[in-house]
Amino acid sequence: MKRTLFAFFIILTAALAACAGAKAPDQGLTTIRLPMGYVADPQYAPFYVAVDRGYFAEEGLAIEFDYSFETDGIALVGAGELPLAVVSGEQVILARAQGLPVVYVMQWWQDFPVAIAALAEAGIREPADLAGRNVGVPGFFGASYVGLVGLLSANGMTLDDIDANEIGFNQVESLLTGQSEAVVVYINNEPVQLRERGEAIDIIPVADYADLVANGILTNEKTIAENPQLVQGFINAFMRGLRDTLADPDAAYEISKKFVEGLDAGRKGVLEASLPLWGTEPLGRTDPASWVVTQNVLLEMGLLAEPLPDLDAAYTNEFVENATE
């Protein structure tokens, strides 16, 4: 089976980047179109809080949320068409291996959010219990796939030890209908849905076994060199929104309703499940050791042909360390 993480070679049109760096007409603000990699969701509450409370505006920025594919954001930032995006750490390594000069400037998610979920009756409570079991994977690409392989590797296992099947993003239905004995999930999403349905489940968090680099903020070398104040202003504002969200998640959820159409109390569990993944102090820092672990997993998977000669150039803590309170 051919397993590819993503194709970097996409056509970058002028239309895709038309609003990058543009001035908001009535406010004199610099507009940043920000690829998010997912749909509008309360897990983006720190961004919504930072916009709603004027933190980005205080830094001279206006944010246009772009809920497009993560790989689109990486390619656009790597080509210098957009200055910033929200991405997962393993994608940064793969992008630099393709020659894209991207740099990870803040680790928002301190714990890798991928996990294995199974109904309690299946008796899958630790990685060894996955041996020989049918495991549903959204696809053989992206953070879910990397997280699964990282979990197996950390426990002396490989994909050959399980029966992995591609199921798309239908983890809840696949589990409840018996199509899969276990599924690869985001710990703040599908487990929340399953518990709200009254299902007793067991969760195996990847972060308990493998310290992989999770979601954070991406820019590129050119932006850092030519417009570091834009990056610093963005990090300043987002850090304030993150701290506010951690301090008062109820208020952050109410603000999120302004940005997520049809949001009701049923999705509050997503935000509540996300908070522990963000809140490790010091906020926003990325650990060099995590990058080594992540690169090793990619090498084992065959997604990376050889180690990056400059892995430490893929990330920096400079902007987080200089962030204003």
Side-chain angles (χ1 to χ4, degrees):
M1 180 186 306
K2 184 178 180 182
R3 294 168 180 151
T4 58
L5 199 62
F6 57 82
F8 276 110
F9 302 106
I10 65 173
I11 297 174
L12 302 177
T13 67
L16 282 173
C19 61
K23 290 287 185 180
D26 298 324
Q27 301 173 326
L29 304 178
T30 297
T31 297
I32 294 176
R33 179 158 69 87
L34 183 69
M36 311 287 278
Y38 192 52
V39 299
D41 190 86
Q43 70 176 323
Y44 293 125
F47 289 99
Y48 302 149
V49 169
V51 170
D52 189 72
R53 293 183 171 170
Y55 300 155
F56 282 113
E58 289 177 22
E59 299 289 345
L61 303 174
I63 306 300
E64 178 184 322
F65 298 121
D66 178 3
Y67 302 104
S68 58
F69 289 113
E70 180 180 49
T71 50
D72 292 347
I74 294 169
L76 289 165
V77 172
E81 301 291 340
L82 291 177
L84 295 152
V86 179
V87 305
S88 189
E90 81 284 346
Q91 304 288 327
V92 179
I93 295 174
L94 292 167
R96 288 191 68 90
Q98 293 286 337
L100 297 182
V102 294
V103 184
Y104 186 93
V105 291
M106 175 185 171
Q107 185 161 332
W108 168 21
W109 297 67
Q110 293 298 311
D111 288 341
F112 200 75
V114 174
I116 306 297
L119 297 179
E121 62 196 45
I124 300 174
R125 299 181 177 87
E126 57 186 43
D129 297 330
L130 292 170
R133 309 301 280 269
N134 185 318
V135 181
V137 189
F140 293 105
F141 58 86
S144 295
Y145 179 37
V146 172
L148 172 61
V149 175
L151 173 69
L152 295 173
S153 177
N155 288 276
M157 302 170 68
T158 70
L159 286 171
D160 292 335
D161 294 310
I162 66 174
D163 179 17
N165 291 279
E166 188 168 355
I167 61 172
F169 293 95
N170 300 300
Q171 296 98 315
V172 171
E173 292 75 13
S174 184
L175 198 62
L176 295 181
T177 60
Q179 177 186 351
S180 302
E181 296 176 273
V183 289
V184 183
V185 299
Y186 274 77
I187 202 167
N188 64 329
N189 192 356
E190 290 84 6
V192 174
Q193 297 178 43
L194 288 162
R195 290 179 176 127
E196 287 176 347
R197 294 190 185 195
E199 300 291 342
I201 59 173
D202 289 309
I203 301 295
I204 306 174
V206 170
D208 285 357
Y209 300 89
D211 185 19
L212 303 174
V213 182
N215 286 15
I217 309 302
L218 184 76
T219 189
N220 55 58
E221 294 174 1
K222 181 178 180 180
T223 301
I224 290 176
E226 297 181 0
N227 200 358
Q229 65 273 17
L230 182 145
V231 180
Q232 189 65 67
F234 183 94
I235 297 300
N236 290 347
F238 179 63
M239 289 280 282
R240 292 176 69 186
L242 178 57
R243 290 192 182 281
D244 283 6
T245 301
L246 292 168
D248 192 349
D250 290 338
Y253 192 76
E254 289 304 309
I255 289 172
S256 297
K257 292 179 180 179
K258 302 177 183 179
F259 296 85
V260 184
E261 185 176 355
L263 188 60
D264 57 29
R267 294 289 290 164
K268 192 172 184 180
V270 171
L271 176 57
E272 293 171 344
S274 301
L275 298 174
L277 306 176
W278 305 338
T280 304
E281 291 286 354
L283 294 183
R285 286 186 57 84
T286 191
D287 184 355
S290 301
W291 289 87
V292 175
V293 172
T294 304
Q295 177 171 254
N296 287 341
V297 169
L298 296 175
L299 288 166
E300 179 178 338
M301 295 170 73
L303 295 171
L304 195 63
E306 59 185 7
L308 295 183
D310 57 349
L311 180 60
D312 58 352
Y315 60 88
T316 178
N317 283 312
E318 174 187 357
F319 296 98
V320 169
E321 293 169 351
N322 293 331
T324 57
E325 293 291 336

